[in-house]
Amino acid sequence: MPQPSYTRGRQDKPLLTLTIGQAFDATVARHGEREALVVRHQGVRYSWRELAAEVDVHARALMALGVEVGERVGIWAPNCAQWCILQLAAAKVGAILVNINPAYRVGELEYVLRQSGCRWLVCADAFKTSDYHAMVQELVPELASHGVAELASERLPDLRGVISLAAEPPAGFLPWAALAGHAGQVEVAACEARQQGLQFDQPVNIQYTSGTTGAPKGATLSHYNILNNGYLVGQSLGLTERDRMVIPVPLYHCFGMVMANLGCITHGSAMVYPNDAFDAELTLRAVAEEHASILYGVPTMFIAMLDHPLRSRLDLSSLRSGIMAGATCPIEVMRKVIEQMHMAQVQIAYGMTETSPVSLQTGPDDELELRVTTVGRTQPQLETKLVDGDGRIVARGETGELCTRGYSVMLGYWDNLQATHDAIDPAGWMHTGDLAVMDDAGYVRIVGRNKDMIIRGGENIYPRELEEFFHTHPAVAEAQVVGIPCSKYGEEVVAWIRLRPGHSATAEELQQWCKVRLAHFKTPRHFRFVDEFPMTVTGKVQKFRMREISVEELGG
């Protein structure tokens, strides 16, 4: 009988039964004077003890603002010290942190705040082409006329107030610098009692994933989910208090806040943010000047660093390992990372937000070929199986949908029982939608997707969401969206558009229309205007044929 495509990860690594606050406090007690957080673009350096002081005062301030256990606090900002402080402070008081993509526009922001029922929003003033203050004021014009914690918004009735990271924000915003001043209203003992009353399996984080049915879904994750995932990813890397990790990946994503921040926090490793967003030169300088041993990134980041003229002039010899995730890595890129960036033990990780995120990972000693052709083996304390269309486990070497079960599977989609039911089966298996093959040694190779999801530069894009979005344009009768290969980002978005009779629109007009309403990574790079779409005899759109035609015309 052929061996089934099922594996169970190592069971000798016990899971942590702590809240994030408890794990953080334990690290502070062990390594208090060691460096914990370096934020180079802000000129910030904290020891573990200094970081704890910031976290504790802001935890008390949140309580003073009336934040209760289970209430949602949104964070809409690029990488910065305040992001890390809020992540830990919110966890200590039992709040649920809602990660908001810094690239979101007004409509996306409104949806996330409303769907999650956010009570408070913490936001930057601006980032790249986004004016966060202006977008918040558009959504909540009442903000300027209300006192602290007294907001009454027509469009966002749950929202109590907005905290700005700017030194002097417009009227109505509570400056972050003034937030700590509210801590005196809450006794230290009251904050400690709040933390002691929390359970490790309570929700602590909501991360929105693009929705296959148009609306993003909020993956709800517990302390147990994400603390253990960060811990076990770090275990695979061999993290210790002597490691220094450079983190150019975004904190709003699991890669940053879980695999990086929580991976470091559970092992006492220093967190180094080179900039508010990825910059190849600043990342390379951070590695060299901070004597970093660990570096994270998606393949496009590593390609940019390898190609940067400064790289060969910097001493990167302190590096030993790191993680590359988010997309498949070409073998030549992996070889150069190992040879030219000294990352002999670099690992590949695979997962999804709904699984906290990592479910499979290569090991430090895996052969190069395994690190570029597979996503590794099942992580400790998890199970993996590959199933056919009937839900039956396929034999090794056969293609099936990858499913994950164990501690990392989310609690569910926030306030969306149907979507949760569709994603997690009655036996507790999370269905990823990815098609994979498992070999005799248990290594898994991703071969495709049974959903139409596009992965561009590590960001998941669901065509259905974009197609429904295009239908709100007055000139668009119908839209179909596909992805085509791209050497820089992995995939690029192509929109096929059928215009309404008597209407006109150019690619440039639609692109500009998208840019002011969508996160930049979702905006299609290419447009193709058609009178009809390739169809089957039964009238179904042939996306595979659209993809083939797009590749023929545009390359890829």
Side-chain angles (χ1 to χ4, degrees):
M1 183 176 176
Q3 191 176 7
S5 293
Y6 167 86
T7 53
R8 190 179 182 208
R10 292 173 57 181
Q11 304 295 301
D12 60 340
K13 296 184 183 297
L15 294 171
L16 304 175
T17 52
L18 302 169
T19 65
I20 289 171
Q22 290 170 334
F24 174 67
D25 289 346
T27 294
V28 173
R30 287 195 303 270
H31 307 298
E33 304 314 313
R34 298 188 73 94
E35 202 157 56
L37 178 64
V38 177
V39 187
R40 288 169 60 90
H41 61 286
Q42 293 179 297
V44 168
R45 288 182 182 271
Y46 290 132
S47 68
W48 286 105
R49 206 170 306 286
E50 289 167 338
L51 179 58
E54 288 290 324
V55 169
D56 289 348
V57 76
H58 286 91
R60 288 161 54 211
L62 290 176
M63 289 180 65
L65 294 182
V67 175
E68 300 291 344
V69 174
E71 289 192 333
R72 279 73 63 206
V73 176
I75 173 75
W76 191 32
N79 292 9
C80 58
Q82 296 93 331
W83 215 112
C84 182
I85 291 165
L86 183 65
Q87 178 184 356
L88 292 164
K92 281 201 161 206
V93 301
I96 300 173
L97 188 71
V98 179
N99 299 9
I100 303 172
N101 191 322
Y104 273 5
R105 298 295 184 173
V106 173
E108 296 160 313
L109 173 67
E110 179 179 13
Y111 175 82
V112 165
L113 292 176
R114 179 184 286 275
Q115 204 277 332
S116 64
C118 261
R119 304 295 262 173
W120 283 89
L121 172 65
V122 178
C123 72
D125 55 349
F127 179 61
K128 295 185 177 179
T129 61
S130 296
D131 184 337
Y132 292 164
H133 286 163
M135 285 190 269
V136 169
Q137 289 170 320
E138 180 181 337
L139 266 184
V140 194
E142 310 96 334
L143 189 62
S145 59
H146 286 79
V148 174
E150 296 176 351
L151 176 65
S153 167
E154 183 178 340
R155 290 172 72 174
L156 297 170
D158 295 311
L159 193 65
R160 283 205 205 102
V162 183
I163 299 163
S164 171
L165 301 184
E168 296 182 1
F173 291 81
L174 174 64
W176 175 271
L179 177 60
H182 292 266
Q185 302 170 35
V186 175
E187 296 290 335
V188 172
C191 190
E192 291 174 346
R194 169 80 71 90
Q195 179 175 319
Q196 290 168 3
L198 302 176
Q199 301 295 302
F200 64 82
D201 54 359
Q202 286 178 244
V204 72
N205 185 218
I206 297 175
Q207 298 198 30
Y208 279 84
T209 62
S210 290
T212 53
T213 56
K217 303 187 293 293
T220 307
L221 305 167
S222 68
H223 296 260
Y224 192 63
N225 286 150
I226 59 177
L227 186 70
N228 278 296
N229 205 259
Y231 172 64
L232 290 172
V233 166
Q235 287 262 299
S236 183
L237 290 171
L239 289 185
T240 73
E241 71 277 8
R242 294 181 297 279
D243 282 303
R244 298 173 68 77
M245 180 188 293
V246 169
I247 304 167
V249 295
L251 296 177
Y252 78 86
H253 192 280
C254 269
F255 203 168
M257 71 160 287
V258 178
M259 296 163 66
N261 280 5
L262 295 182
C264 288
I265 286 166
T266 51
H267 293 90
S269 309
M271 300 169 277
V272 179
Y273 303 164
N275 194 32
D276 56 0
F278 174 68
D279 178 283
E281 179 175 336
L282 294 178
T283 302
L284 289 166
R285 287 190 182 279
V287 170
E289 294 168 12
E290 301 291 339
H291 306 290
S293 51
I294 307 292
L295 174 61
Y296 278 9
V298 298
T300 53
M301 292 180 179
F302 283 100
I303 291 168
M305 287 185 281
L306 285 166
D307 290 343
H308 198 282
L310 185 67
R311 179 190 54 75
S312 60
R313 303 199 299 272
L314 291 174
D315 181 4
L316 308 179
S317 61
S318 59
L319 283 175
R320 66 171 178 83
S321 189
I323 287 182
M324 198 181 300
T328 304
C329 178
I331 189 166
E332 283 306 312
V333 174
M334 179 66 83
R335 184 175 284 117
K336 288 178 180 177
V337 167
I338 291 170
E339 295 173 355
Q340 298 177 20
M341 296 183 70
H342 307 280
M343 295 174 64
Q345 298 177 352
V346 64
Q347 299 179 27
I348 298 293
Y350 164 86
M352 60 192 306
T353 304
E354 291 88 338
T355 57
S356 303
V358 177
S359 51
L360 296 113
Q361 192 171 346
T362 59
D365 302 319
D366 283 343
E367 295 292 331
L368 176 62
E369 185 179 355
L370 287 172
R371 284 188 266 180
V372 295
T373 60
T374 80
V375 291
R377 292 187 283 191
T378 305
Q379 249 221 347
Q381 302 289 355
L382 294 176
E383 298 171 274
T384 301
K385 70 174 181 178
L386 307 183
V387 300
D388 62 19
D390 295 321
R392 301 178 64 84
I393 297 177
V394 301
R396 298 281 175 110
E398 294 182 6
T399 300
E401 182 187 9
L402 194 156
C403 302
T404 298
R405 182 167 68 176
Y407 79 86
S408 71
V409 175
M410 66 175 179
L411 300 177
Y413 290 117
W414 184 264
D415 196 24
N416 195 335
L417 289 175
Q418 185 58 53
T420 303
H421 180 267
D422 293 342
I424 304 172
D425 69 25
W429 290 97
M430 177 74 208
H431 289 250
T432 68
D434 284 333
L435 301 176
V437 174
M438 183 182 292
D439 69 14
D440 290 339
Y443 287 89
V444 173
R445 179 167 53 92
I446 304 298
V447 297
R449 291 187 291 276
N450 64 4
K451 298 175 181 176
D452 290 326
M453 186 175 70
I454 300 164
I455 302 180
R456 182 191 182 275
E459 297 279 8
N460 294 349
I461 302 166
Y462 286 90
R464 178 70 179 275
E465 179 184 7
L466 289 182
E467 289 159 4
E468 294 193 4
F469 168 75
F470 275 116
H471 289 170
T472 65
H473 191 286
V476 175
E478 190 175 358
Q480 296 290 335
V481 173
V482 296
I484 62 171
C486 166
S487 59
K488 184 176 182 180
Y489 294 110
E491 286 183 285
E492 279 288 8
V493 181
V494 182
W496 286 47
I497 302 292
R498 184 170 63 82
L499 296 172
R500 295 182 185 278
H503 287 73
S504 64
T506 65
E508 291 74 19
E509 289 169 350
L510 288 180
Q511 206 160 44
Q512 187 58 37
W513 184 77
C514 290
K515 284 179 179 178
V516 298
R517 293 169 175 82
L518 282 179
H520 66 87
F521 62 87
K522 297 178 189 175
T523 298
R525 173 78 181 277
H526 305 286
F527 287 84
R528 191 176 194 273
F529 294 92
V530 296
D531 294 325
E532 58 185 16
F533 301 101
M535 309 283 275
T536 66
V537 292
T538 58
K540 291 184 179 179
V541 174
Q542 292 180 307
K543 285 207 168 180
F544 76 92
R545 183 62 189 133
M546 293 167 56
R547 198 172 291 113
E548 289 173 352
I549 294 169
S550 298
V551 169
E552 289 169 9
E553 294 181 347
L554 300 167

